[in-house]
Amino acid sequence: FKQKAIMDIETFLQNESNHPADYRCGFVAIVGRPNVGKSTLMNHLIGQKISITSKKAQTTRNRVTGIYTDDTAQFVFVDTPGFQTKHRNALNDRLNQNVTEALSGVDAVVFVVEAMRFTDADRIVMKQLPTNTPVILVINKIDKNKAGNTGLQEFIDQISAEFKFAGHETVSAKHGLGIANLLARLRPYLPQSVPMYPEEMVTDRSSRFLATEIVREKLFRYLGEELPYAMNVEIEQFEEEENGLYRIYIAVLVDKDSQKAILIGKGGEKLKKISTEARLDMEKLFDTKVFLKVWVKVKSGWADDVRFLRELGL
């Protein structure tokens, strides 16, 4: 991972002049209600998994930047939390603020909706869309569409009647369908510029951040509906040893002792499985051996503690 993410700065500067005059580079925000497939879409757009995915809504809690570079452009995608309309607390207020901030200063916006399903929650997100920035409507999960092409076009027309979109694309983020067309649609809206990041770089997020995201994903996947909503992950210690080994200690924060028991499982088996799967994913991403220790910590009321949320970077 380090070899992919880090490039000698002198070589990077020398390569800037090798790009064509019409090369483009810019920022694209990906927004939508929870669980429409925003993170899966970004992972396919950049060709590598850096944003966590789950069937459980509200998996993404931080803005995650993914970078895709080819011979004609560099796309810097910002994956945002799903705009939350329920469970009002300090955590969700901060998540919604992250969405609003992501929409300012970008060159284009991707508004993701689910094929043949447009809800009041989608309309709430639509009201947040900027009117002075190009917005591309992306219909995701077309592999599940049973209404046929005619029904899908009527669905697109109905949504387009409520907002002036710069265009639309249909995709299946899960199967990687329509990704090339979406990139081609977005490219003209990026300003002409040399790339801002080395071409090998796929995210500007740190190894520490990615480690916590991997653990969070395993928690979502293996606990399902048992997972406490007020749960978060924080790094207690992250060290890189001389032999390249990553030694990582991660705490899972919950609100109550009863939630701690759920995460640990009978005889500690559930937490052990989560830790093992997370370690294997880290070794694949970081391309090195990883020692990972995960435990559960009870901190009552953390989801409403604004100062603590700020310390977590939320």
Side-chain angles (χ1 to χ4, degrees):
F1 177 79
K2 291 183 297 179
Q3 292 175 344
K4 293 179 181 178
I6 300 175
M7 182 179 181
D8 183 83
I9 189 62
E10 293 182 359
T11 304
F12 175 47
L13 293 173
Q14 290 171 3
N15 288 343
E16 280 190 335
S17 59
N18 296 334
H19 295 92
D22 63 343
Y23 195 89
R24 295 175 180 270
C25 178
F27 289 86
V28 179
I30 303 176
V31 299
R33 65 170 167 80
N35 214 24
V36 292
K38 299 182 299 297
S39 297
T40 302
L41 176 61
M42 188 175 78
N43 288 338
H44 275 284
L45 283 166
I46 67 171
Q48 185 168 331
K49 182 178 179 179
I50 62 162
S51 191
I52 73 173
T53 61
S54 169
K55 292 181 180 179
K56 190 177 179 72
Q58 203 59 53
T59 310
T60 302
R61 286 187 177 169
N62 294 272
R63 285 182 291 173
V64 180
T65 303
I67 305 161
Y68 172 74
T69 306
D70 62 20
D71 293 336
T72 65
Q74 183 174 83
F75 302 80
V76 185
F77 293 101
V78 182
D79 181 22
T80 62
F83 201 87
Q84 182 61 249
T85 59
K86 300 178 181 179
H87 312 297
R88 286 299 302 274
N89 56 23
L91 170 61
N92 283 334
D93 288 345
R94 183 59 58 87
L95 298 181
N96 288 347
Q97 183 181 344
N98 284 349
V99 178
T100 304
E101 290 174 354
L103 291 173
S104 62
V106 296
D107 302 294
V109 176
V110 168
F111 176 46
V112 185
V113 302
E114 187 175 345
M116 310 310 297
R117 185 173 177 226
F118 193 70
T119 68
D120 289 340
D122 293 297
R123 287 187 171 88
I124 291 174
V125 180
M126 182 183 284
K127 291 179 181 179
Q128 314 300 319
L129 297 176
T131 56
N132 58 348
T133 302
V135 180
I136 304 299
L137 172 66
V138 172
I139 312 298
N140 190 24
K141 304 184 182 181
I142 57 170
D143 53 300
K144 296 183 178 180
N145 175 39
K146 298 179 181 179
N149 291 335
T150 302
L152 184 60
Q153 186 57 54
E154 291 177 355
F155 175 74
I156 293 171
D157 292 341
Q158 289 173 2
I159 300 175
S160 298
E162 300 187 32
F163 188 88
K164 188 175 181 180
F165 294 102
H168 71 268
E169 291 292 336
T170 57
V171 305
S172 171
K174 180 179 179 180
H175 299 289
L177 302 175
I179 300 301
N181 290 341
L182 178 55
L183 288 169
R185 172 78 67 174
L186 289 168
R187 185 183 182 277
Y189 300 111
L190 305 183
Q192 290 189 357
S193 168
V194 296
M196 290 179 285
Y197 298 97
E199 63 181 33
E200 294 89 353
M201 197 169 177
V202 294
T203 183
D204 66 348
R205 285 294 194 171
S206 68
S207 298
R208 293 172 63 96
F209 172 82
L210 294 173
T212 60
E213 287 293 275
I214 288 172
V215 171
R216 283 210 313 121
E217 179 183 46
K218 301 309 174 189
L219 289 165
F220 276 97
R221 287 192 179 277
Y222 287 108
L223 292 171
E225 294 303 318
E226 292 183 293
L227 183 72
Y229 180 77
M231 180 279 304
N232 205 57
V233 178
E234 67 172 347
I235 293 278
E236 293 278 339
Q237 187 177 342
F238 191 110
E239 297 177 350
E240 181 181 357
E241 299 185 353
E242 291 184 0
N243 60 2
L245 174 75
Y246 279 17
R247 193 173 293 276
I248 306 171
Y249 298 83
I250 290 180
V252 181
L253 304 176
V254 294
D255 241 2
K256 305 172 183 176
D257 285 313
S258 58
Q259 296 170 344
K260 179 177 180 178
I262 292 173
L263 265 68
I264 293 174
K266 186 176 180 180
E269 285 301 311
K270 194 167 289 185
L271 187 61
K272 181 180 179 181
K273 185 174 184 179
I274 289 168
S275 300
T276 299
E277 292 292 324
R279 177 181 59 79
L280 292 173
D281 273 12
M282 288 180 196
E283 290 183 340
K284 182 178 179 181
L285 180 61
F286 300 144
D287 193 25
T288 190
K289 287 291 184 181
V290 173
F291 171 85
L292 176 65
K293 176 70 175 178
V294 180
W295 67 94
V296 185
K297 181 192 296 185
V298 178
K299 182 176 175 61
S300 180
W302 75 267
D304 273 313
D305 188 337
V306 176
R307 180 185 60 80
F308 184 65
L309 291 173
R310 191 177 297 115
E311 291 176 357
L312 288 177
L314 294 171

